[in-house]
C-alpha cells in the first residue's frame, strides 16, 4: 500500500511526463502537417495523414490523463485542508474537555461548600427549635383544636415551585422534587406529621395532572388519615384533603363516591368558618357540579343559589365569582329546559358586564349587549 505522500509524488511525476509527451506529440503533429501541406491534394490518403490521426488521438488521451491527474492533485489538496481542519477541531475539543473538567472541579468544590453551609444551617435550626420547644408545646394542642395549623412557608414555596414545573409539563423535575421533600420530612418529623400530609397532598396533585389517579388517590387517603389523627376530624386541612379527593373521584367519573366526601368537607368549612364564608361558597360550587353530573338538578339549584347569595353578600355584585356562579346556574336551568330562568340570568350577566365596561345600558337592545 502506498502512502498519501507517495501517491502525490508519483502523480506529480506522471503529470510532468505527460506534459513532456504532449509537447513531443504536438511537435510531431506540426511537422506532419507541414509535410502534408507541401504535397499535392491527390496524396491526401498518404501515410503521413494516417500518422497525423494517430498522433491526434494520442494527444486527446494525454489531455484526458492530465485532466485526471490534476483532479487527483486538487482532491489531495482538499483532503489536506480537511485534515488540517480536523486537527484544529480536535485541538478545540481537547481544550473544551480541559475547561469542562476545570468547571466540574469548581462545581464539586462549590457543592461541598454548600453542603457545609447547609449543615451549619441545620445545626442552627436544631438549636432554634430546641429553644422554641418549651414555649410552643404549651399552645400546640389548643392551636390544633382551633384550626391553628398552617402550612409552613417553605412548603408553600415548594408547592408554588412544583405547580410551576407541572404547568410547564416538566414532571420529570416536579415529581422527584416532591419525593425528595417527602423523604426529608419523614426522616425529620416522622410519617404522621401534618407537614408530611401537606407534602402528600402536593404530590397527589402532580400525579392527578398526569392522570395517575390511582397513585393520587392512595396519597390523598394517606394524607387524610394523618390529618384526621393529628389535627382532628373537623380541621380545615381535613376539609381541603376531602375536597381534593372528591375532585379526583369526579375526574374519574366516580360521582357517587365523590359526593359524600364533598358534603363532609362542606360541613367542616361551615362549622369552622361559618355558613356565609366565601370558602363555603366555593365548596358549594364543587358539590353542585358533582350533583349535576348525576342529574340531581334540584340539589344543584339549591347549592348554586346559596353560593351566589354568599358571594354577592360577602364579595359584592362585581366579583368574578358572582358572574361565574350565575353562569353555572343558568347552565343548570338550560339542562332542565327552564329557558326563561336561564335567559334572565344571562341578561343579568351581560348587563352587569356592559355597565362595568361602558356605563348604563338603559335602552340598549340585547343583541348589542351580545
Amino acid at each position: 500500500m502506498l502512502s498519501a505522500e507517495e501517491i502525490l509524488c508519483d502523480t506529480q511525476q506522471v503529470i510532468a511526463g505527460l506534459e513532456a509527451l504532449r509537447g513531443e506529440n504536438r511537435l510531431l503533429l506540426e511537422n506532419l502537417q507541414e509535410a502534408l501541406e507541401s504535397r499535392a491534394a491527390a496524396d491526401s490518403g498518404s501515410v503521413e495523414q494516417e500518422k497525423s490521426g494517430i498522433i491526434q488521438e494520442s494527444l486527446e488521451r494525454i489531455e484526458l490523463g492530465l485532466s485526471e491527474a490534476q483532479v487527483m492533485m486538487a482532491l489531495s489538496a482538499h483532503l489536506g485542508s480537511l485534515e488540517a481542519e480536523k486537527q484544529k477541531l480536535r485541538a478545540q475539543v481537547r481544550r473544551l474537555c480541559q475547561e469542562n473538567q476545570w468547571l466540574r472541579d469548581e462545581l464539586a468544590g462549590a457543592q461541598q461548600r454548600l453542603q457545609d453551609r447547609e449543615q451549619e444551617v441545620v445545626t442552627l435550626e436544631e438549636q432554634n427549635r430546641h429553644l422554641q420547644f418549651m414555649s410552643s408545646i404549651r399552645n400546640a394542642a389548643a392551636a390544633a383544636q382551633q384550626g391553628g395549623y398552617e402550612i409552613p412557608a417553605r412548603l408553600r414555596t415548594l408547592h408554588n415551585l412544583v405547580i410551576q414545573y407541572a404547568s410547564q409539563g416538566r414532571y420529570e423535575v416536579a415529581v422527584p422534587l416532591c419525593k425528595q421533600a417527602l423523604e426529608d420530612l419523614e426522616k425529620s418529623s416522622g410519617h404522621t406529621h401534618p407537614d408530611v400530609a401537606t407534602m402528600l397532598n402536593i404530590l397527589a396533585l402532580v400525579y392527578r395532572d398526569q392522570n395517575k389517579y390511582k397513585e393520587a388517590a392512595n396519597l390523598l387517603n394517606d394524607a387524610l388519615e394523618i390529618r384526621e389523627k393529628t389535627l382532628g376530624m373537623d380541621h380545615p386541612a381535613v376539609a381541603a384533603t376531602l375536597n381534593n379527593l372528591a375532585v379526583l373521584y369526579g375526574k374519574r367519573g366516580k360521582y357517587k363516591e365523590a359526593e359524600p366526601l364533598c358534603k363532609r368537607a362542606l360541613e367542616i368549612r361551615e362549622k369552622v368558618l361559618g355558613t356565609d364564608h366565601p370558602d363555603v361558597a366555593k365548596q358549594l360550587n364543587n358539590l353542585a357540579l358533582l350533583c349535576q353530573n348525576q342529574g340531581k338538578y334540584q340539589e344543584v339549584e339549591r347549592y348554586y343559589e346559596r353560593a351566589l347569595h354568599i358571594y354577592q353578600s360577602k364579595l359584592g355584585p362585581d366579583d368574578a365569582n358572582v358572574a361565574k356562579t350565575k353562569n353555572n346556574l343558568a347552565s343548570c336551568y338550560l339542562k332542565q329546559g327552564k329557558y326563561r330562568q336561564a335567559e334572565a340570568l344571562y341578561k343579568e350577566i351581560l348587563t352587569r358586564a356592559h355597565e362595568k365596561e361602558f356605563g348604563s345600558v338603559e335602552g340598549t337592545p340585547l343583541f348589542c349587549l351580545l
Side-chain angles (χ1 to χ4, degrees), residues 70-342:
Q70 289 170 353
V71 168
M72 291 181 63
M73 294 295 293
L75 180 60
S76 176
H78 179 65
L79 291 175
S81 64
L82 289 179
E83 181 64 25
E85 184 67 22
K86 184 170 69 173
Q87 294 298 330
K88 181 180 178 182
L89 291 175
R90 285 178 176 174
Q92 291 179 353
V93 168
R94 287 194 296 270
R95 179 176 56 81
L96 290 175
C97 288
Q98 292 174 353
E99 292 180 356
N100 187 44
Q101 185 59 45
W102 177 79
L103 290 174
R104 287 177 182 273
D105 295 340
E106 287 292 317
L107 178 60
Q111 288 177 337
Q112 183 60 47
R113 292 192 295 272
L114 178 60
Q115 290 177 359
D116 295 341
R117 299 299 179 272
E118 287 178 345
Q119 186 61 41
E120 293 177 3
V121 170
V122 169
T123 303
L124 292 173
E125 287 180 349
E126 185 65 30
Q127 294 175 354
N128 187 42
R129 282 196 296 269
H130 181 73
L131 292 174
Q132 293 177 348
F133 175 73
M134 294 306 297
S135 61
S136 62
I137 197 172
R138 300 172 186 172
N139 303 320
Q145 293 177 356
Q146 298 172 5
Y149 171 73
E150 294 183 0
I151 298 175
R154 67 182 187 280
L155 292 187
R156 287 198 298 270
T157 302
L158 179 61
H159 175 263
N160 294 334
L161 184 61
V162 168
I163 293 301
Q164 180 180 353
Y165 283 133
S167 65
Q168 297 172 356
R170 300 178 62 186
Y171 297 109
E172 74 283 358
V173 179
V175 172
L177 186 62
C178 289
K179 288 184 176 181
Q180 183 61 51
L182 181 61
E183 182 181 346
D184 294 342
L185 283 171
E186 288 179 332
K187 287 181 179 179
S188 61
S189 305
H191 181 70
T192 58
H193 194 276
D195 289 352
V196 173
T198 299
M199 200 63 241
L200 289 170
N201 266 278
I202 296 173
L203 182 55
L205 295 178
V206 176
Y207 279 145
R208 186 190 70 186
D209 289 346
Q210 295 178 274
N211 298 326
K212 295 181 178 180
Y213 297 126
K214 183 177 180 180
E215 294 89 338
N218 292 335
L219 293 174
L220 287 174
N221 280 310
D222 194 7
L224 179 62
E225 183 179 353
I226 294 172
R227 284 181 165 175
E228 287 177 338
K229 182 178 180 180
T230 57
L231 303 177
M233 302 295 288
D234 296 331
H235 195 278
V238 173
T241 307
L242 288 167
N243 180 71
N244 291 338
L245 198 54
V247 171
L248 180 64
Y249 284 146
K251 284 183 174 291
R252 300 173 67 183
K254 297 183 177 182
Y255 306 118
K256 291 184 179 180
E257 293 87 340
E259 185 179 350
L261 297 173
C262 201
K263 285 183 176 179
R264 186 184 163 198
L266 175 63
E267 292 173 359
I268 294 174
R269 294 189 192 279
E270 288 176 333
K271 183 176 180 180
V272 176
L273 304 174
T275 57
D276 57 351
H277 194 278
D279 286 351
V280 172
K282 182 178 180 180
Q283 195 70 56
L284 286 166
N285 266 297
N286 292 344
L287 183 55
L289 182 60
L290 291 174
C291 291
Q292 182 168 302
N293 287 321
Q294 300 177 73
K296 300 178 180 180
Y297 293 112
Q298 290 184 351
E299 295 182 37
V300 174
E301 289 184 24
R302 185 169 71 252
Y303 293 142
Y304 277 142
E305 288 171 355
R306 186 180 164 198
L308 182 59
H309 174 74
I310 294 173
Y311 282 138
Q312 287 178 327
S313 61
K314 293 298 181 180
L315 304 179
D318 294 328
D319 187 78
N321 290 296
V322 173
K324 182 179 179 181
T325 306
K326 283 184 177 180
N327 185 72
N328 293 340
L329 182 56
S331 176
C332 176
Y333 285 147
L334 283 178
K335 291 180 182 295
Q336 300 176 82
K338 297 181 178 180
Y339 301 116
R340 290 186 178 179
Q341 294 95 318

